[in-house]
Amino acid sequence: MTFTPLIEHNQAAAAENPARGRLAAYFLSSLFIFLGLAAILLLIVSVTSSPVIRAVLEWDAASPDPAPSLILVFLAEFGIILPLLILGAGIGFIWLGFQMRGRHVTAGHWAHIAAMWLTIGSLILAFLNAVQTLNTKSDTPVNAGAILFPLVAAGGFAALYVWLNNNRWWVFRGQEDYLARETRVAWNMLIPTLAVFVIVAARPLEQTFIRSLTDKRFASQEVPRFVGLENYRSLLGIRLDSVSCRWNEETGACVTRNDGSIRWESIDQGLLEEGYRTVWTIPLPFEARAHALAISSLDDDFLQGIGTTLVFAAISVTLELLIALFMAVTVNSEFAGRGLMRAVMLIPWAIPTVISARLWELMLKDTNAGIINRVLMDLQVIDLPKAWLSDVTLQLPAAIMVDVWKTAPFMALLLLAGLQTIPKDLYEAAAVDGATRVNQFFKITLPLLRPTIGVALVFRTLDALRVFDLFNVLFGRQQLTMATYDYETLVNNQRDGYASAVSMIIFLLIAVFAMIYVRLLNVETE
Amino acid sequence: MSRRRVNDILRRALFNILIFVIAVYALFPFYWAFSTSFKTENEMFHRATYLPQEPTLKNYKYVLGGDTFLVALRNSAFVAGTTSVLSLIVGSFAAYALGRLRFRGRTALLYIVLSMTMFPAISILSGLYSIVRELGVFGTPFALIVTYPVFTLPFTVWVLTSFFKGLPAEIEQAAIVDGATTFQTFRFILLPLTAPALVTTGLLAFVSSWNEYLFALNFTITNPSAQTVPVAIAQFSGIDAFQEPIAEIMAAAMVVTIPLVTLVLIFQRRIVAGLMAGAVKG
């Protein structure tokens, strides 16, 4: 394959045409400044002419209802991200326009990229509008402008792109240094990912954040009120108190329950009236008379859910890593059982979760119809059927068993891909030097696989912290995780505003955790 | 027999037992679904039996009888296929930038991509709903193709980034000396070398889209002809009106899983081998 030597071509063209293209550069510069101004103007016009904003601005002072908050109306209608993006793009274009007056080639390259993405963006807009038109009922008038205008714009941008493709060499001068080129190429290649991020993650999450500041009810027509951080106050209302044990004066010892555990005094009556409930009581060992740390919260179900989720994630991800490593190494070796292992690796994971959760529900039934009980009884491990799904002490182990079954293959596949890139000759060399298989595993496989293990662990852990389907199908409201608590608050309690605040807290918790976790695992981000 | 040999045999036996245990753990539920799919409702709820006592095909007839399930299969294949191909294209661009190029803001961008996996799907459901409406794709398979990247793209980008980083720097330098543009280096030199990672991440993206339920249910609820397999299965009403259609669900699970696993097995062996051979030859 031969590549065009780009830099030489550029230099030759520039040397040939020292003064040409001043007019073209001025034209391009004006075009971009115009585009930038147009974007900003469009934003301002669409905000000021928006019917909902006008309704608030022209609110009749004599009307009995109080005027809705302008900020809330603006946020609900436009959000924060989209106006900022349009404003940013506008300013960027104006800046690029002014840069082009200097006729440096870097500005030309950026203009080239901008023309390409504007073309693609307009085409996508035209396509979406076309799909929308085809989907609407035939009796509504077809809005041809919504398809034609983006198409015409796309044509214009495409022409600009092609023109820049051929002519930017003589319009612009100089040479782009290596770092500037890498920066430009990198941002160019990241634009699709960033677009996806804005559309499917940032904007929906932003709406969740806006709702979390209100008392919105789920699926209700009521106009939500702005409540500020009220929802967060009760979610974050967590306190630590020291409680002593219930003292028996006669025996001079702590009162214990039948199972031998110590009974603790409850927290102050005043706190209970405020709504605090104790979730965990942790005995403190170093006090003469037994004391314990009582962790209480205004929303004890949520705190309990966080605890359940953390325990679940820690145990299941650890087990998954060990099993997945074993699976991946087996499949990657010349071992006879590798074909079987390969099938083993895929089947649990290829069954959709909705089905596999139902399947395990069937298998874990607490009657004779549950096969797990039947097998364990046939093997004489247990005498009587166990209530896997309703016994509180068995619920978490059952959930971990199902989750490990389902997701170890995901990790195994990732690790296998990592193993395949380790050169075979490393092992041959090690074998010649007399290293045993175990030695090879710890000295070659593990260190070289470390980046892949890190990435796999990050994704599996974040997935486990968000676990939803499994707990929802198996336990309903009996055993809540962070995500199922969120769901219950939204769907069963209809508290959309509060559920949104729960979502934001979950997001923040996982974000902080992820930052620390990525550093600890030393996954290279630098 | 020498002590070393005994040790060797013991170790081998232990290894085999471990494989056996894992295989049973992984495959028994699948066997159970298979066996249940041939059972009558009566037998299923009465007592767990290892083999169906009166095997019946009526569950399969129920699943394959109408059009609904076959339409759902086609939709699922279309949605999962398109989503994984798009994620691979978009993700490999991003991963090349993040893994091979030096620029300011790299670390921040990696975290931004990762942040897409930091909230449960339920928390963006209503936000996505209004965006899907806004884009005019509600009730079509495109609603799913637009939204699924929220879970397929982050791991595609991260996994591919770590693979791009693992490739030796010399390859790229040679290409640049030859006068290749950065994009040409990416497309013709680095991308073929990451083939195993591409196949794996593509597969992971495919299966997670194939299995997704929450979005599929909420975004295609109005249009039965746009539903995917998990939604179609969840809406089985069963042969007996008053019983949960578990046996039918298991029959559907077999119809969905067996072709998928077979395909993946063939895909993994043939295509990975082929791609890797191609990459080495250059």
Side-chain angles (χ1 to χ4, degrees):
Chain A
M1 199 178 304
T2 54
F3 299 111
T4 325
L6 191 140
I7 297 165
E8 286 161 39
H9 175 87
N10 185 0
Q11 282 169 333
E16 256 173 50
N17 314 291
R20 265 177 76 193
R22 181 176 299 161
L23 200 65
Y26 266 89
F27 173 73
L28 282 173
S29 153
S30 312
L31 180 68
F32 272 85
I33 292 172
F34 168 75
L35 282 175
L37 287 174
I40 295 172
L41 206 67
L42 193 72
L43 179 69
I44 295 170
V45 168
S46 60
V47 170
T48 50
S49 67
S50 146
V52 278
I53 300 274
R54 292 208 77 86
V56 179
L57 287 177
E58 292 159 9
W59 194 263
D60 185 4
S63 108
D65 302 322
S69 147
L70 183 63
I71 296 174
L72 204 60
V73 169
F74 174 79
L75 287 180
E77 186 72 5
F78 297 98
I80 311 158
I81 292 167
L82 211 56
L84 275 183
L85 274 180
I86 295 177
L87 202 66
I91 293 171
F93 275 18
I94 294 172
W95 184 79
L96 185 58
F98 280 108
Q99 287 294 305
M100 271 191 264
R101 308 217 154 190
R103 292 178 69 189
H104 192 270
V105 77
T106 304
H109 288 315
W110 279 101
H112 184 230
I113 289 176
M116 180 177 86
W117 288 114
L118 285 171
T119 312
I120 294 173
S122 311
L123 281 177
I124 291 174
L125 193 65
F127 173 74
L128 285 173
N129 284 341
V131 170
Q132 195 161 19
T133 312
L134 289 177
N135 269 346
T136 46
K137 309 253 172 345
S138 51
D139 51 320
T140 50
V142 174
N143 186 1
I147 307 169
L148 280 181
F149 181 72
L151 272 183
V152 171
F157 291 133
L160 178 65
Y161 172 77
V162 172
W163 190 84
L164 279 170
N165 208 17
N166 298 325
N167 301 303
R168 68 180 190 275
W169 313 115
W170 58 265
V171 176
F172 299 102
R173 292 172 303 203
Q175 249 194 51
E176 193 176 27
D177 67 62
Y178 196 68
L179 208 64
R181 177 173 140 180
E182 287 208 344
T183 307
R184 180 173 55 79
V185 173
W187 282 101
N188 187 19
M189 295 180 99
L190 281 161
I191 281 178
T193 300
L194 290 174
V196 168
F197 168 77
V198 169
I199 295 169
V200 299
R203 289 201 56 211
L205 202 63
E206 165 197 58
Q207 293 189 17
T208 306
F209 172 69
I210 294 165
R211 275 200 313 279
S212 77
L213 303 174
T214 68
D215 64 351
K216 189 178 183 318
R217 308 283 301 171
F218 179 61
S220 135
Q221 297 301 316
E222 256 172 75
V223 179
R225 270 186 322 125
F226 181 75
V227 296
L229 297 175
E230 183 56 33
N231 290 325
Y232 292 91
R233 198 187 70 84
S234 75
L235 278 172
L236 295 176
I238 293 169
R239 54 176 299 136
L240 308 175
D241 297 280
S242 163
V243 290
S244 56
C245 71
R246 193 159 293 176
W247 193 256
N248 187 333
E249 292 298 341
E250 287 171 25
T251 56
C254 293
V255 177
T256 56
R257 290 199 192 81
N258 288 338
D259 60 356
S261 63
I262 298 174
R263 293 191 63 150
W264 303 100
E265 292 289 355
S266 63
I267 50 174
D268 288 345
Q269 190 62 32
L271 292 174
L272 287 175
E273 274 161 19
E274 268 180 64
Y276 283 99
R277 294 289 176 274
T278 303
V279 179
W280 298 295
T281 325
I282 302 162
L284 298 171
F286 43 77
E287 307 242 356
R289 191 164 155 175
H291 273 270
L293 187 68
I295 303 175
S296 322
S297 165
L298 286 173
D299 188 337
D300 52 330
D301 279 345
F302 185 49
L303 193 58
Q304 183 76 56
I306 295 177
T308 309
T309 313
L310 287 179
V311 173
F312 168 80
I315 301 177
S316 61
V317 172
T318 311
L319 287 175
E320 270 161 46
L321 176 65
L322 295 177
I323 293 179
L325 255 181
F326 183 80
M327 283 178 170
V329 170
T330 314
V331 172
N332 199 43
S333 65
E334 297 297 319
F335 173 75
R338 59 188 285 203
L340 174 70
M341 217 41 167
R342 211 185 273 268
V344 163
M345 250 171 59
L346 292 167
I347 284 174
W349 174 64
I351 302 177
T353 316
V354 227
I355 300 176
S356 60
R358 301 290 285 277
L359 170 62
W360 278 92
E361 196 188 9
L362 177 72
M363 291 173 59
L364 290 168
K365 266 192 198 308
D366 51 8
T367 58
N368 276 336
I371 186 67
I372 302 279
N373 278 329
R374 167 91 199 265
V375 169
L376 290 178
M377 279 157 77
D378 286 351
L379 292 173
Q380 317 258 312
V381 180
I382 54 174
D383 301 330
L384 288 170
K386 286 203 178 284
W388 297 98
L389 299 177
S390 46
D391 184 339
V392 181
T393 53
L394 289 176
Q395 279 175 342
L396 210 50
I400 290 169
M401 181 165 76
V402 180
D403 192 64
V404 171
W405 173 79
K406 171 91 190 154
T407 51
F410 174 93
M411 215 165 188
L413 265 183
L414 276 181
L415 298 184
L416 182 62
L419 283 176
Q420 283 173 343
T421 59
I422 300 177
K424 291 269 181 289
D425 41 355
L426 278 180
Y427 293 100
E428 283 157 23
V432 170
D433 290 346
T436 61
R437 280 289 175 85
V438 178
N439 250 329
Q440 289 176 21
F441 178 77
F442 284 103
K443 291 279 153 64
I444 301 173
T445 311
L446 266 190
L448 286 176
L449 203 56
R450 217 187 48 96
T452 317
I453 293 179
V455 173
L457 271 181
V458 167
F459 278 90
R460 268 309 307 150
T461 312
L462 296 194
D463 269 357
L465 288 175
R466 300 181 300 156
V467 62
F468 174 76
D469 305 25
L470 185 64
F471 278 75
N472 189 42
V473 173
L474 290 185
F475 310 123
R477 310 187 70 154
Q478 291 179 54
Q479 183 74 260
L480 292 171
T481 63
M482 297 196 289
T484 54
Y485 177 73
D486 196 357
Y487 175 81
E488 293 296 334
T489 321
L490 178 66
V491 176
N492 287 337
N493 302 351
Q494 309 269 306
R495 299 175 66 191
D496 196 351
Y498 194 73
S500 302
V502 172
S503 295
M504 294 315 294
I505 300 277
I506 297 175
F507 175 59
L508 289 180
L509 278 178
I510 298 185
V512 170
F513 173 83
M515 294 272 225
I516 300 169
Y517 195 56
V518 167
R519 300 250 159 100
L520 279 182
L521 285 174
N522 208 3
V523 180
E524 289 165 56
T525 49
E526 297 308 319
Chain B
M1 227 189 292
S2 75
R3 192 154 159 205
R4 188 162 174 176
R5 212 175 134 66
V6 174
N7 264 344
D8 210 43
I9 290 172
L10 264 178
R11 197 174 295 151
R12 198 156 284 218
L14 201 73
F15 188 66
N16 281 318
I17 289 170
L18 203 54
I19 286 186
F20 179 75
V21 170
I22 291 179
V24 169
Y25 177 39
L27 295 180
F28 183 77
F30 182 73
Y31 164 73
W32 191 246
F34 182 72
S35 143
T36 306
S37 72
F38 291 103
K39 287 181 183 171
T40 59
E41 306 285 326
N42 189 24
E43 181 185 351
M44 228 180 63
F45 289 111
H46 183 59
R47 188 181 148 70
T49 44
Y50 290 106
L51 284 171
Q53 298 301 305
E54 338 153 17
T56 165
L57 279 175
K58 72 179 174 63
N59 298 318
Y60 286 90
K61 276 192 196 124
Y62 175 84
V63 171
L64 297 172
D67 282 345
T68 332
F69 193 71
L70 296 175
V71 169
L73 264 178
R74 205 193 56 205
N75 284 334
S76 272
F78 173 64
V79 168
T82 315
T83 307
S84 44
V85 169
L86 285 179
S87 306
L88 277 186
I89 296 173
V90 171
S92 62
F93 281 3
Y96 172 70
L98 294 167
R100 300 301 287 193
L101 302 176
R102 288 160 302 161
F103 62 101
R104 253 194 291 165
R106 254 201 65 226
T107 312
L109 278 165
L110 271 170
Y111 279 111
I112 284 180
V113 171
L114 190 65
S115 74
M116 288 159 89
T117 65
M118 291 178 188
F119 41 81
I122 182 82
S123 55
I124 52 163
L125 188 63
S126 62
L128 274 182
Y129 178 85
S130 46
I131 281 170
V132 161
R133 273 272 148 104
E134 224 171 87
L135 295 176
V137 289
F138 182 78
T140 68
F142 292 104
L144 306 182
I145 293 171
V146 170
T147 49
Y148 281 4
V150 75
F151 55 86
T152 57
L153 195 57
F155 76 75
T156 309
V157 171
W158 271 65
V159 172
L160 291 179
T161 300
S162 85
F163 274 86
F164 273 123
K165 241 186 237 163
L167 296 173
E170 292 79 23
I171 302 176
E172 216 169 0
Q173 284 157 4
I176 289 167
V177 169
D178 285 349
T181 64
T182 322
F183 187 77
Q184 285 168 327
T185 318
F186 161 70
R187 170 65 190 79
F188 297 109
I189 299 178
L190 292 172
L191 205 56
L193 288 174
T194 47
L198 283 176
V199 172
T200 306
T201 42
L203 208 62
L204 293 173
F206 186 91
V207 174
S208 42
S209 320
W210 180 269
N211 290 347
E212 204 280 335
Y213 176 67
L214 193 65
F215 293 168
L217 176 70
N218 285 287
F219 299 154
T220 61
I221 190 99
T222 51
N223 184 5
S225 65
Q227 280 169 359
T228 56
V229 168
V231 180
I233 290 177
Q235 293 186 348
F236 277 174
S237 53
I239 302 166
D240 299 323
F242 296 104
Q243 262 170 343
E244 262 199 299
I246 297 278
E248 288 89 338
I249 291 178
M250 294 310 146
M254 289 302 113
V255 176
V256 175
T257 312
I258 292 176
L260 188 67
V261 169
T262 319
L263 265 180
V264 168
L265 284 178
I266 297 169
F267 195 66
Q268 263 210 324
R269 268 190 203 168
R270 298 277 162 82
I271 299 182
V272 174
L275 282 174
M276 285 178 78
V280 174
K281 269 183 251 152

